[in-house]
């Protein structure tokens, strides 16, 4: 049986009637780098907070490292967390924050803390409220790594960071994952980062889990093709698994989901004169899947209306 | 790891981070007793030692408690401390605390312990100075028992109010709403007592003596009376029309030696009552916090908006007094109360909407 670092079962959460999460069941294998993507308001931060038991779900349950995330287990001794907006004691000096960290987690490793302080160039005697957001993120990561976590939860940690530090940040996280076998679960809008680092990706949209697949699976199952066909647009749009459609002059550009052999067979029905498979980035695949989920992909009505709109 | 490890860490954090808050509370609560005479003395503005001595002596008299500056300011400071000690966490640090292995209960209990220690420390320093000043005075009029009684009663009272503020803060979204809710809870038993007395004379034509008996028995439950250690009025008192007059009881200053426990027979009841209330408030605080520590739109944030809280409380108070004014029986009071409450509430809601509308027009005009 696969060893899981995170297991959630049918988690639902709503705020004043608005559904933030709807029946989310996730499984994150131990030692993996797991990316969580989704548009703004998809429920990523809510899910992170529920994983950390900062807020409680209306339904469902969470297991971290094989134990319930509820209080009794003290499982959070082994879990590092970097929130989207690092919340710290504004009037504390950085050093005092580290002392607090060491007093609230007996796994605290002062050696690691000193080492990372040097790398991150933390001004130990500065008060938290005087620091930039980037520095607060560094401190938050430093504190999360200083407990030598088995599981690291990062909620859009690189948002607003400069490209140099963003790369450095990811490198440190990946080193941690590779060196200590730490499971990394992180949400981000930066899909190129994810493409470089993640093994598996889950996508949330409007509180629902759209998919959970490995990066290879995504690349193998979503394709972008441009072609010129003898058949009209109606036939093209009726192709199975179509996610996105664009038209430029006589050229149809489609994004489809399915195995390549099946896609090729389906395309043959349009009697293509010319056909070319395009490179599809994770970002393009993500946008196409979200478009499909929100109903932006047009389907034809009886009179073929909507095609022009799609072409625009 | 056992809880003691985490409590030590949390207590360190609370005492260190709130040092300034506790310092300010110390200055304000001790202002009349310690700082004001010293500052005036330093400025040579003429507070003599004898005056200081008399002031402290007066303060030790339980009948002067309710009107003394220390009690008045202490009530506000204790409640504000309780509200602030949790409320400052809502700026983001609570998320950090909740992401550590500490239990939610431990967060609240450590706040309770640190605030209680601070208040006990403040009262201890005050009591020490009182003892020293009174010992150096011309005549030793104060017994050790009296100072110990004063120290304990005040400390227990402040801790009770601090816990009330803490409980209110777990329930409400912001400082103002929490403060107002705490003050309302604080005043509610007094209002009920007043209602019972007025109902007895208004609706049932009871004698002044009976009204006073009702006041004394119900007033024992009044948090305000507990905090101010108000002695129950003698039923045989000549002045039975004013339930809050001291009547013929000795003020304790002068020829008689005031003895806290002798004069105020209710002290033990008050101390036990305040302790029970403290436990109730603490349990409520933990209960609310465990269910809703952070969610800004959670189910338990029923008092989310300060304006709404203010309107409800104002409508409640106005409906209460108007109901008593116009009602002739208990039943008609209930009807009047509901009617006035709804009308006043709606009136304020409409006024606030109108105000918002005009403000919007003004803004659009610009």
């Amino acid at each position: 049986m696969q060893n899981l670092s995170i297991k959630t079962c049918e988690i639902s959460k709503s705020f004043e009637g608005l559904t933030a999460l709807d029946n989310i069941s996730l499984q994150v294998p131990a030692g993996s780098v797991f990316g969580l993507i989704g548009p703004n308001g998809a429920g990523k931060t809510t899910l992170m907070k529920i994983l950390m038991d900062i807020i409680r779900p209306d339904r469902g349950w969470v297991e971290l490292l094989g134990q319930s995330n509820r209080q009794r287990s003290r499982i959070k001794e082994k879990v590092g967390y970097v929130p989207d907006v690092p919340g710290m004691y504004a009037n504390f000096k950085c050093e005092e924050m580290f002392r607090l960290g060491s007093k609230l987690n007996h796994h605290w490793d002062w050696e690691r803390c000193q080492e990372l302080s040097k790398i991150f160039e933390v001004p130990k005697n500065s008060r938290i409220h005087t620091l930039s957001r980037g520095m607060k993120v560094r401190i938050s990561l430093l504190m999360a790594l200083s407990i030598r976590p088995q599981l690291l939860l990062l909620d859009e940690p690189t948002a607003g960071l400069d490209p140099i530090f963003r790369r450095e940040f990811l490198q440190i996280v990946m080193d941690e994952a590779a060196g200590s076998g730490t499971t990394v679960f992180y949400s981000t809008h930066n899909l190129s980062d994810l493409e470089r680092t993640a093994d598996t990706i889950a996508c949330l949209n409007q509180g629902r889990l759209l998919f959970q697949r490995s990066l290879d699976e995504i690349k193998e199952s979503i394709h972008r093709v441009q072609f010129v066909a003898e058949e009209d647009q109606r036939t093209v749009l009726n192709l199975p698994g179509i996610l996105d459609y664009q038209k430029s002059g006589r050229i149809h550009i489609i994004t489809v989901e399915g195995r390549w052999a099946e896609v090729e067979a389906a395309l043959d029905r349009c009697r293509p004169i010319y056909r070319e498979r395009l490179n599809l980035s994770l970002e393009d695949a993500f946008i196409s899947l979200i478009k499909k989920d929100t109903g932006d992909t047009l389907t034809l009505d009886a009179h073929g209306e909507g095609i022009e709109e799609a072409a625009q | 790891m056992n809880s003691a490890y985490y409590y030590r860490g949390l207590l360190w954090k609370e005492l260190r981070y709130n040092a300034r808050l506790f310092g300010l509370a110390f200055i304000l609560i001790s202002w009349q007793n310690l700082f004001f005479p010293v500052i005036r003395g330093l400025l040579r503005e003429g507070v003599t030692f004898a005056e200081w001595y008399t002031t402290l002596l007066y303060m030790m008299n339980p009948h002067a408690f309710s009107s003394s500056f220390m009690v008045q300011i202490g009530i506000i400071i204790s409640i504000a401390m309780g509200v602030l000690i949790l409320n400052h966490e809502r700026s983001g640090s609570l998320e950090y605390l909740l992401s550590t292995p500490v239990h939610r209960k431990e967060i609240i209990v450590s706040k309770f312990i640190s605030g209680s220690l601070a208040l006990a420390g403040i009262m201890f320093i005050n009591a020490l100075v009182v003892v020293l000043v009174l010992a150096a005075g011309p005549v030793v009029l104060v017994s050790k028992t009296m100072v110990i009684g004063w120290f304990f009663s005040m400390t227990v009272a402040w801790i009770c109010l601090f816990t009330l503020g803490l409980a209110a803060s777990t329930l409400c979204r912001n400082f103002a709403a929490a403060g107002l809710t705490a003050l309302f809870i604080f005043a509610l038993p007094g209002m009920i007592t007043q209602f019972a007395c007025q109902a007895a004379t208004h609706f049932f034509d009871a004698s002044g003596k009976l009204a006073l008996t009702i006041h004394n028995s119900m007033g024992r439950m009044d948090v305000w009376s507990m905090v101010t250690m108000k002695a129950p009025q003698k039923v045989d008192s000549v002045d039975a029309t004013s339930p809050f007059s001291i009547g013929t009881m000795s003020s304790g200053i002068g020829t008689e030696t005031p003895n806290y426990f002798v004069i105020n027979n209710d002290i033990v009841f008050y101390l036990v009552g305040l302790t029970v209330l403290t436990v109730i408030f603490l349990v409520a605080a933990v209960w609310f916090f465990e269910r809703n520590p952070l969610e800004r739109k959670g189910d338990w944030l029923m008092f989310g908006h300060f304006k709404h809280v203010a309107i409800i409380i104002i409508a409640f108070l106005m409906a209460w007094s108007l109901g008593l004014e116009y009602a002739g029986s208990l039943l008609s009071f209930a009807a009047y109360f509901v009617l006035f409450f709804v009308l006043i509430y709606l009136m304020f809601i409409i006024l606030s909407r109108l105000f918002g509308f005009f403000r919007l027009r003004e803004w659009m005009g610009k």
Side-chain angles (χ1 to χ4, degrees), chain A residues 93-111:
Chain A
K93 292 176 181 173
C94 298
E95 202 163 13
E96 287 173 314
M97 273 310 294
F98 301 155
R99 277 185 72 185
L100 178 62
S102 73
K103 283 173 186 290
L104 296 183
N105 198 315
H106 72 284
H107 290 302
W108 185 269
D109 183 344
W110 273 111
E111 222 170 88

Side-chain angles (χ1 to χ4, degrees), chain A residues 4-71:
Chain A
L4 296 174
S5 283
I6 299 175
K7 187 178 179 186
T8 71
C9 183
E10 295 172 359
I11 287 179
S12 295
K13 179 73 187 173
S14 57
F15 296 106
E16 291 181 357
L18 286 171
T19 305
L21 289 177
D22 187 14
N23 246 6
I24 304 291
S25 294
L26 274 179
Q27 295 196 339
V28 179
S32 65
V33 178
F34 195 102
L36 184 67
I37 54 175
N40 288 330
K44 298 187 297 293
T45 298
T46 304
L47 179 60
M48 284 282 182
K49 286 182 178 175
I50 286 175
L51 291 180
M52 285 306 289
D53 193 34
I54 290 169
I55 56 177
R56 299 249 164 100
D58 299 332
R59 280 200 317 274
W61 49 264
V62 175
E63 269 185 15
L64 301 179
L65 305 168
Q67 291 183 53
S68 164
N69 70 338
R70 287 294 174 95
Q71 305 176 23

Side-chain angles (χ1 to χ4, degrees), chain A residues 164-179:
Chain A
I164 299 166
F165 182 67
R166 200 176 77 220
R167 187 154 288 200
E168 205 177 327
F169 181 100
L170 287 172
Q171 193 55 52
I172 289 166
V173 171
M174 290 312 122
D175 288 349
E176 186 74 20

Side-chain angles (χ1 to χ4, degrees), chain A residues 19-267:
Chain A
T19 305
L21 289 177
D22 187 14
N23 246 6
I24 304 291
S25 294
L26 274 179
Q27 295 196 339
V28 179
S32 65
V33 178
F34 195 102
L36 184 67
I37 54 175
N40 288 330
K44 298 187 297 293
T45 298
T46 304
L47 179 60
M48 284 282 182
K49 286 182 178 175
I50 286 175
L51 291 180
M52 285 306 289
D53 193 34
I54 290 169
I55 56 177
R56 299 249 164 100
D58 299 332
R59 280 200 317 274
W61 49 264
V62 175
E63 269 185 15
L64 301 179
L65 305 168
Q67 291 183 53
S68 164
N69 70 338
R70 287 294 174 95
Q71 305 176 23
R72 302 280 168 229
S73 62
R74 305 259 193 216
I75 191 64
K76 285 188 269 185
E77 284 180 341
K78 298 169 191 167
V79 182
Y81 173 59
V82 180
D84 55 344
V85 182
M88 283 177 268
Y89 291 94
N91 288 332
F92 266 178
K93 292 176 181 173
C94 298
E95 202 163 13
E96 287 173 314
M97 273 310 294
F98 301 155
R99 277 185 72 185
L100 178 62
S102 73
K103 283 173 186 290
L104 296 183
N105 198 315
H106 72 284
H107 290 302
W108 185 269
D109 183 344
W110 273 111
E111 222 170 88
R112 178 78 167 139
C113 176
Q114 302 295 350
E115 178 196 336
L116 289 169
S117 292
K118 279 180 195 157
I119 297 171
F120 291 164
E121 296 168 356
V122 173
K124 285 185 187 172
N125 288 318
S126 297
R127 296 204 182 270
I128 297 292
H129 67 86
T130 63
L131 304 176
S132 65
R133 185 188 178 276
M135 186 51 78
K136 284 180 192 167
V137 171
R138 289 176 200 217
I139 292 169
S140 197
L141 179 67
L142 185 155
M143 291 181 70
L145 293 178
S146 294
I147 62 169
R148 296 276 182 197
Q150 288 180 25
L151 170 63
L152 192 57
L153 301 179
L154 311 169
D155 187 6
E156 292 182 34
T158 54
L161 296 184
D162 64 77
I164 299 166
F165 182 67
R166 200 176 77 220
R167 187 154 288 200
E168 205 177 327
F169 181 100
L170 287 172
Q171 193 55 52
I172 289 166
V173 171
M174 290 312 122
D175 288 349
E176 186 74 20
S180 318
T182 305
T183 308
V184 180
F185 181 89
Y186 81 108
S187 71
T188 183
H189 285 298
N190 196 321
L191 301 183
S192 59
D193 284 350
L194 212 55
E195 215 166 357
R196 284 207 310 270
T197 53
D199 309 322
T200 313
I201 289 171
C203 178
L204 288 181
N205 190 35
Q206 295 173 341
R208 284 172 297 109
L209 183 66
L210 274 190
F211 62 83
Q212 177 184 342
R213 293 179 203 169
S214 72
L215 202 59
D216 293 338
E217 270 176 355
I218 293 172
K219 284 181 177 168
E220 280 167 19
S221 64
I222 299 172
H223 319 276
R224 179 166 282 180
V225 190
Q226 65 175 8
F227 60 95
V228 179
E230 288 178 6
E231 288 292 330
D232 62 0
Q233 287 160 320
R234 193 188 303 262
T235 317
V236 175
L237 275 167
N238 280 333
L239 286 172
I242 192 154
L243 297 174
D244 192 24
Y245 172 79
Q246 289 168 19
K247 194 182 177 202
S248 174
R250 288 184 65 204
I251 303 172
H252 306 277
I253 304 167
I254 58 166
T255 311
V256 280
E257 193 176 10
R259 283 166 52 200
W260 177 240
E262 289 165 1
V263 173
E264 270 187 316
L267 277 173

